[in-house]
Each structure stands twice: as structure tokens, then as C-alpha cells.
Amino acid sequence: MRLLLVEDNDRLAHFLAKGLGMEGFAVDHVGLIEDAEAALATMRFDAILLDLGLPDGDGMDLLKRLRARNDTTPILVTTARGDLGDRLRGLDGGADDYLIKPFEIAELAARLRALMRRPGAVMSREIDLGNLRFDAESRTATVADRALTLGRRETDLLEALIRRSGRAISKAALENSIYGLAGEVEPNALEVLVSRLRRRLTEAGATAQIHTLRGIGYLMSDGTP
């Protein structure tokens, strides 16, 4: 799942991105409200981690603007403001959860997973497609109950495809989901990744198939007769 981390402390942001990466999340980091607005205008994120004390304003203002335009992206506020009044203002202002600094990465990751499992949210714990099963919490896949060995990028791609099985996903959307704001993506990087995942699924005997839709993108479906 792709997260937008809005945090002006670069050292803390690096620590959070590294720790959440080990928990299976892809993290894009910005340190200003202005940069957060720009990122949200160009990409879709599964959740936002929002600090409140930012150099160019109060994170609460960003939170209120997002909710005012009916943006329902789950938002977890991470801040040193621990007073009851601050917590109530954050939650009443539209935050889905509120975590006081300092905190453990394990708790942060667990809270994020809980947010994404809520009704209407993006994360179901287990997703089945034919004899392929993906466990979002452990980020593991099995084919007919046999473990499927995948690299991190292959796992990211599988998750993006299986969550939207039966629906076309554009190449740009997949690249954003997998590579995010990390920088320029090689022109054929996604095609190579799709080919590698296809091969692993075929070798494992998966009935799920990845279809290339020329000029559109990709679609995953169950090929069971």
C-alpha cells in the first residue's frame, strides 16, 4: 500500500519510511503542506501520515481542506501534541486516527492496517483469485496452498493487480503504485516486471492470468474454465 508521509523532520521521516517499508508499505515523503497538495493532485495514496507542526502551516488546515472536498483517504495524524483537546480537535477535524510521538513502528503499522481494513477501505486481509491467494498483512502469496516466492517489486505489482482483479489498470497508475515519487522510471521497467510476475505465476501453476490491454494497461483475471 502506498502512503504519503507529511513530516518536516527528515531524520524521523527516513526512520519511518525505512521501518514501514519493512512492514510492506511504500512511502513517499514530503516536508511541506504545499508539496503534499502537489503530490495528492498527481497521485492516489492509500493513506496519509500527517504531522501537524509543519514549516508552511498547520497540518490541521490540510486535513480540513481534504475533508471539505470529500477526499476520504484514511489520515493518521502523527504529532507531539498529546493534550486531550488536541486529540479531540484532530479526530473531530477529520482524522481517522491520532498517534502521539514517540511511538513504535509496529504500532504505527498495525494502526495503518486496521484503517485499511475498515468497510469501504482498500485493504482486505486475504484476497483469492482462482487458486491464487494474497495475504495483505504478511504480504505473502500462495498458489494452491503452496508458497509463491516473489521479490518486493513483484509483490507490489501482484497486490496492485489482484486488488483490482477484473478491472483494467493503466500503466501510469501501476507505475505510480509501485514506484511512486521515487524518481524517473525506466521506459520498459513495468513491462519487465509484468513479464517476470507472469512467469512466476505460470511456473507455480496459478490459474490467475495477467492480460495486456494494448493502449490501456493491464488486467488480472482468473483463467479457470
Side-chain angles (χ1 to χ4, degrees):
M1 295 292 96
R2 182 154 297 278
L3 311 176
L4 178 64
L5 170 62
V6 188
E7 169 62 61
D8 66 314
N9 184 318
D10 287 339
R11 184 176 179 182
L12 175 58
H14 176 76
F15 170 77
L16 292 175
K18 182 178 180 181
L20 288 170
M22 295 176 67
E23 293 280 348
F25 295 94
V27 181
D28 289 310
H29 167 234
V30 295
L32 300 173
I33 291 175
E34 178 184 4
D35 293 338
E37 291 271 27
L40 290 165
T42 57
M43 283 186 60
R44 177 188 174 278
F45 294 91
D46 298 305
I48 302 169
L49 300 181
L50 178 63
D51 185 26
L52 296 185
L54 297 165
D56 60 341
D58 192 319
M60 279 300 302
D61 294 332
L62 174 60
L63 172 59
K64 290 175 182 177
R65 285 198 296 274
L66 291 174
R67 296 312 188 218
R69 59 181 184 241
N70 297 317
D71 188 323
T72 59
T73 305
I75 298 176
L76 194 159
V77 169
T78 59
T79 181
R81 300 179 192 174
D83 292 342
L84 176 61
D86 289 321
R87 297 199 301 274
L88 292 177
R89 278 190 291 274
L91 294 169
D92 289 339
D96 295 277
D97 201 354
Y98 199 102
L99 192 55
I100 308 301
K101 299 175 181 177
F103 48 77
E104 297 292 332
I105 288 288
E107 181 181 2
L108 176 59
R111 285 175 180 257
L112 285 167
R113 286 191 290 265
L115 285 181
M116 295 181 188
R117 285 196 298 267
R118 288 180 179 178
V122 66
M123 181 179 278
S124 300
R125 190 183 188 281
E126 291 184 343
I127 307 168
D128 293 311
L129 187 63
N131 63 355
L132 172 65
R133 169 170 291 183
F134 181 77
D135 187 312
E137 192 159 332
S138 64
R139 282 178 57 80
T140 57
T142 58
V143 174
D145 295 325
R146 296 188 300 274
L148 179 63
T149 302
L150 299 173
R152 182 172 67 86
R153 293 291 194 202
E154 293 164 348
T155 302
D156 292 342
L157 175 60
L158 174 60
E159 182 169 12
L161 289 168
I162 199 171
R163 285 193 179 283
R164 299 164 181 82
S165 61
R167 290 175 286 169
I169 313 175
S170 71
K171 179 180 176 181
L174 280 173
E175 286 177 341
N176 283 339
S177 176
I178 296 166
Y179 303 105
L181 303 175
E184 292 296 322
V185 180
E186 291 294 326
N188 66 338
L190 181 61
E191 286 81 357
V192 171
L193 187 61
V194 168
S195 177
R196 206 160 61 222
L197 179 58
R198 271 197 184 114
R199 185 174 66 251
R200 295 194 188 281
L201 291 172
T202 299
E203 291 172 349
T207 58
Q209 299 175 354
I210 303 172
H211 306 276
T212 299
L213 307 177
R214 299 295 178 189
I216 300 174
Y218 297 94
L219 177 148
M220 176 173 263
S221 68
D222 177 26
T224 302

